[in-house]
Amino acid sequence: MTGIGFDLLATDGRARRGRVTTAHGTIETPAFMPVGTAATVKAMTTDAVASTGAEILLGNTYHLMLRPTAERVAQLGGLHRFMNWDKPILTDSGGFQVMSLSDLRTMSEEGVTFKSHLDGSRHHLTPERSIQIQHMLDSNITMCLDECTPFPATEAQAESSMRLSMRWARRSKDAFVERPGYGLFGIVQGSVYPEQRAESVAALTDIGFDGYAIGGLAVGEGQETMFRVLDFTEPLMVKDRPRYLMGVGRPSDLIGAVRRGVDMFDCVMPTRSGRTGQAFVRRGTINIRNARHAHDERPLDAECGCPACRSYSRGYLHHLFKADEMLGPMLLTWHNLHYYQDVMRTMRHAIADGNFEEVAGAMEASMNEGDIEATVDPIAKPGKPPKQGRPPKAGKDSAPPKADKDSAPPEAERVAEEKTDE
């Protein structure tokens, strides 16, 4: 096998059931990749991540090139050995993070020169250097260096950015070292403009890649616009290669994108939300910090088999967050990742069975129901009515969780937090 393999096993409408084959194992698609930016999925061991059903992780070129450096990772045996993960790894190119350092970088045709957000040291990232770094990391799926077009962008701005990315894609392909079980993905750009997306798809197809990512979305355009872009982009893409929607998203985003022919996803949403007290469940979301959960003996989600739901009550999880105990973020992160993998597994089975729309519609309807009714507090203070509460509105559980230090870093240290887990 040269590069990575992809077998399209079943389709149902535009939804696809497939399998990606790499040097470190297979990935059943549709697939969700937990984000392990700095060679770790926050609050999780790799064994715990694997137990959720995850078959591939995402690492971040920008962060790893700065600390501990790609050279150090290579010297310590590569990213798989370094982080004790023997399954596939995808690394992003670093372009999104560098582009987000608007006041710390300068860009040219050659590449990007930027200052490290850690110590102010200067670095030069070119398509060739990005590919070299990812090679040293031993990434199974390498991403081309691109410029993630900001939103909103004028048509002229989007066109200039997209064409630069296409030139960088050619250079990335030329720099990539082909070997069995390792592949390179191109990234479709073009903002919200159909003609530019079409031009980008055509350019990347002409170059030829092992897979194709859809970039420049999940940057503030909203779900409706994102789906509209997918509607006119996906039909143009080759059918025998995996499609990867970068940085997406919420469970409803995943369902809608699979419905539109996407195979692979990544997002920090389940891990960051878990650290700040938000749990994704079959009936929407829960803010475990809310007082309505303090006396609740029920699990987060009665249908979930994760350790948080099997062994602990909502009341206990509420206590952990109120007491600032680290076990709380760990358990909610574990639950969220487990739930995301449940969603992907359910969609894979539905596509194979030919009833995707029925199953997807049922999941979406459940997510819109809102949380189960609150229970009565058995030890409410005398003279004070018990806090029964009301079921929150669909997809909500009262106020959003407060941000922790990891989810709200200083401005210069944000480095594209919307797509990386730090």
Side-chain angles (χ1 to χ4, degrees):
M1 179 182 68
T2 301
I4 62 172
F6 179 67
D7 296 310
L8 187 58
L9 304 177
T11 60
D12 188 358
R14 288 165 61 186
R16 293 149 49 101
R17 167 75 173 94
R19 180 176 296 127
V20 178
T21 305
T22 78
H24 284 84
T26 58
I27 307 145
E28 304 297 324
T29 66
F32 180 82
M33 300 180 282
V35 175
T37 299
T40 177
V41 177
K42 285 184 179 297
M44 297 285 285
T45 65
T46 50
D47 288 345
V49 175
S51 77
T52 69
E55 296 176 322
I56 177 172
L57 296 183
L58 181 144
N60 185 270
T61 294
Y62 169 85
H63 289 278
L64 293 170
M65 71 179 282
L66 296 179
R67 184 173 58 192
T69 75
E71 289 78 7
R72 181 65 69 202
V73 173
Q75 178 258 322
L76 290 171
L79 198 52
H80 297 89
R81 181 177 175 187
F82 185 57
M83 64 185 296
N84 189 33
W85 176 259
D86 62 1
K87 300 177 185 292
I89 294 174
L90 179 149
T91 47
D92 60 15
S93 67
F96 185 94
Q97 290 70 40
V98 170
M99 299 308 164
S100 300
L101 298 170
S102 57
D103 56 346
L104 298 176
R105 52 91 172 168
T106 56
M107 188 173 63
S108 67
E109 182 70 32
E110 179 63 20
V112 186
T113 301
F114 65 95
K115 290 183 180 179
S116 164
H117 72 285
L118 297 174
D119 58 12
S121 58
R122 295 182 67 83
H123 301 266
H124 189 53
L125 189 65
T126 65
E128 294 79 10
R129 176 59 177 160
S130 175
I131 299 299
Q132 179 190 37
I133 291 170
Q134 294 177 78
H135 183 92
M136 286 189 286
L137 295 175
D138 195 34
S139 172
N140 295 106
I141 299 178
T142 294
M143 301 302 299
C144 288
L145 182 66
D146 69 326
E147 180 184 18
C148 183
T149 308
F151 179 84
T154 67
E155 192 164 358
Q157 290 171 331
E159 180 182 85
S160 175
S161 175
M162 179 272 292
R163 289 180 176 170
L164 175 64
S165 290
M166 297 307 98
R167 295 192 295 272
W168 283 2
R170 170 65 70 179
R171 289 167 56 188
S172 296
K173 176 67 180 292
D174 291 342
F176 182 72
V177 179
E178 294 187 1
R179 55 215 192 275
Y182 292 81
L184 176 67
F185 279 27
I187 304 174
V188 178
Q189 291 290 352
S191 188
V192 298
Y193 303 103
E195 290 185 2
Q196 294 185 29
R197 289 281 176 178
E199 180 181 332
S200 181
V201 170
L204 294 173
T205 303
D206 182 63
I207 296 170
F209 291 93
D210 297 287
Y212 296 87
I214 303 167
L217 295 176
V219 290
E221 75 282 354
Q223 187 185 79
E224 182 179 349
T225 299
M226 177 178 71
F227 286 165
R228 181 169 58 84
V229 173
L230 291 178
D231 282 335
F232 59 68
T233 301
E234 182 275 334
L236 305 173
M237 301 175 74
V238 296
K239 307 300 182 186
D240 61 349
R241 297 288 186 273
R243 293 93 168 257
Y244 162 33
L245 180 56
M246 305 179 75
V248 175
R250 293 184 176 274
S252 62
D253 297 328
L254 304 181
I255 295 171
V258 168
R259 179 180 282 124
R260 291 164 172 82
V262 176
D263 305 305
M264 299 171 65
F265 304 87
D266 80 281
C267 190
V268 302
M269 190 75 67
T271 47
R272 183 186 299 156
S273 294
R275 297 198 306 276
T276 57
Q278 185 178 64
F280 292 94
V281 296
R282 283 155 182 77
R283 295 181 56 147
T285 57
I286 290 173
N287 178 359
I288 200 63
R289 295 177 183 270
N290 286 352
R292 71 191 298 266
H293 304 295
H295 55 273
D296 199 330
E297 296 181 359
R298 298 171 296 181
L300 287 172
D301 188 330
E303 297 180 50
C304 180
C306 80
C309 292
R310 288 200 317 266
S311 304
Y312 302 101
S313 68
R314 292 184 178 203
Y316 180 65
L317 296 170
H318 171 85
H319 159 70
L320 292 176
F321 274 88
K322 286 298 185 180
D324 289 327
E325 288 289 343
M326 67 175 68
L327 182 59
M330 292 169 64
L331 287 172
L332 251 65
T333 298
W334 199 328
H335 164 79
N336 283 346
L337 289 176
H338 191 282
Y339 172 69
Y340 268 57
Q341 296 301 332
D342 275 353
V343 170
M344 306 313 293
R345 188 181 303 109
T346 298
M347 288 195 287
R348 290 196 296 269
H349 290 164
I351 297 167
D353 292 341
N355 61 350
F356 174 78
E357 279 303 329
E358 178 184 348
V359 172
M363 286 197 293
E364 291 169 324
S366 180
M367 290 173 189
N368 288 327
E369 288 182 8
D371 193 20
I372 53 180
E373 192 80 43
T375 58
V376 176
D377 187 348
I379 56 171
K381 293 181 180 179
K384 189 174 182 180
K387 289 185 177 180
Q388 288 182 277
R390 298 177 181 176
K393 293 181 180 179
K396 291 187 176 181
D397 188 3
S398 188
K402 296 179 181 178
D404 62 11
K405 289 194 294 183
D406 285 333
S407 63
E411 189 65 34
E413 199 171 338
R414 288 186 187 276
V415 196
E417 277 278 309
E418 286 305 311
K419 283 199 177 180
T420 69
D421 208 9
E422 179 173 70

